[in-house]
Amino acid sequence: QVQLKESGPGLVQPSQTLSLTCTVSGLSLTSNSVSWIRQPPGKGLEWMGVIWSNGGTDYNSAIKSRLSISRDTSKSQVFLKMNSLQTEDTAMYFCAGGGFDYWGQGVMVTVSS
Amino acid sequence: DVVMTQTPPSLSVAIGQSVSISCKSSQSLVYSDGKTYLHWLLQSPGRSPKRLIYQVSNLGSGVPDRFSGTGSQKDFTLKISRVEAEDLGVYYCAQTTHFPPTFGSGTKLEIK
């Protein structure tokens, strides 16, 4: 059974850095990609970036300068780091495996002082 | 970026009725390998999205065959036959043919 679970702080101060972890089970990171997608409250889905099975990464150009995705295959974890957070970054953050095949439950991140 | 336009933005249907949701893309979604990477997702209230259909017409694991997807190039449709109460939520189309992946704005299905 494939499971993805996001974890991280629920509250981040403006201008600070967000760090999230996606812990994956039942899905090999060396054979599958993992994407990060976010959803502001009451709004639609925005693809943020992906780490491919070979470890390469691609990012949404709108946030590329602030975003970094990495992984630890030994722990089956994927990491998201995004700096210079602003209130508009308040959203539910999801990780998804295998090209949207599997989704985590999401973690709500609020950017506020 | 490829723009995905979904219609209608919302609809209300009675149990047992059938509904269709349209998704149109600003570019053809046929990839160089000949496949079309258009997918349908359902986000039930308070839940994360779940993939229903991949590559236009292939049902995801455990998805009832009341759901079907059709279309080609730039024009796609999701049909739900015999709507059930559990089908309520927001339906999204998504494309992964072109970089970056993009989503439609969603269609909210309510049960009368």
Side-chain angles (χ1 to χ4, degrees):
Chain A
Q1 181 182 4
V2 176
Q3 289 189 324
L4 295 88
K5 186 173 183 179
E6 305 86 348
S7 58
L11 181 65
V12 179
Q13 292 195 340
S15 80
Q16 296 302 300
T17 296
L18 172 66
S19 295
L20 298 177
T21 299
C22 175
T23 302
V24 182
S25 59
L27 192 73
S28 168
L29 295 185
T30 57
S31 301
N32 294 274
S33 63
V34 173
S35 291
W36 286 95
I37 299 108
R38 66 179 177 177
Q39 184 175 38
K43 297 190 177 181
L45 301 165
E46 177 188 29
W47 181 84
M48 300 179 70
V50 62
I51 187 161
W52 301 103
S53 57
N54 64 5
T57 53
D58 281 305
Y59 303 113
N60 187 321
S61 59
I63 53 176
K64 183 176 182 178
S65 63
R66 301 194 290 136
L67 183 63
S68 175
I69 298 174
S70 60
R71 71 183 185 184
D72 183 336
T73 55
S74 67
K75 295 183 178 180
S76 201
Q77 291 180 323
V78 176
F79 309 104
L80 175 148
K81 287 189 187 301
M82 189 163 69
N83 58 31
S84 304
L85 255 62
Q86 301 301 320
T87 54
E88 52 265 33
D89 295 312
T90 293
M92 184 74 81
Y93 286 74
F94 300 100
C95 58
F100 306 160
D101 295 358
Y102 310 98
W103 291 67
Q105 63 189 20
V107 60
M108 183 66 201
V109 174
T110 300
V111 182
S112 175
S113 55
Chain B
D1 297 1
V2 175
V3 177
M4 307 294 287
T5 302
Q6 276 185 248
T7 55
S10 66
L11 64 163
S12 180
V13 298
I15 300 294
Q17 282 190 323
S18 295
V19 296
S20 292
I21 298 169
S22 171
C23 176
K24 297 183 189 296
S25 58
S26 60
Q27 300 178 34
S28 170
L29 299 185
V30 180
Y31 190 56
S32 56
D33 63 3
K35 297 180 181 180
T36 300
Y37 294 92
L38 181 284
H39 321 290
W40 290 96
L41 312 171
L42 166 61
Q43 187 171 29
S44 301
R47 305 292 298 273
S48 59
K50 171 189 174 182
R51 185 196 65 180
L52 295 175
I53 288 174
Y54 63 98
Q55 293 176 35
V56 181
S57 59
N58 297 288
L59 260 60
S61 175
V63 176
D65 59 7
R66 300 182 291 101
F67 291 89
S68 62
T70 58
S72 63
Q73 301 288 331
K74 298 167 57 177
D75 196 349
F76 305 92
T77 301
L78 173 69
K79 182 176 180 179
I80 312 171
S81 304
R82 307 179 306 280
V83 167
E84 298 186 3
E86 65 184 24
D87 298 337
L88 71 92
V90 181
Y91 290 81
Y92 294 96
C93 59
Q95 68 82 22
T96 54
T97 296
H98 301 283
F99 181 84
T102 49
F103 299 89
S105 54
T107 295
K108 186 174 184 179
L109 176 64
E110 298 177 328
I111 306 297
K112 285 181 181 176

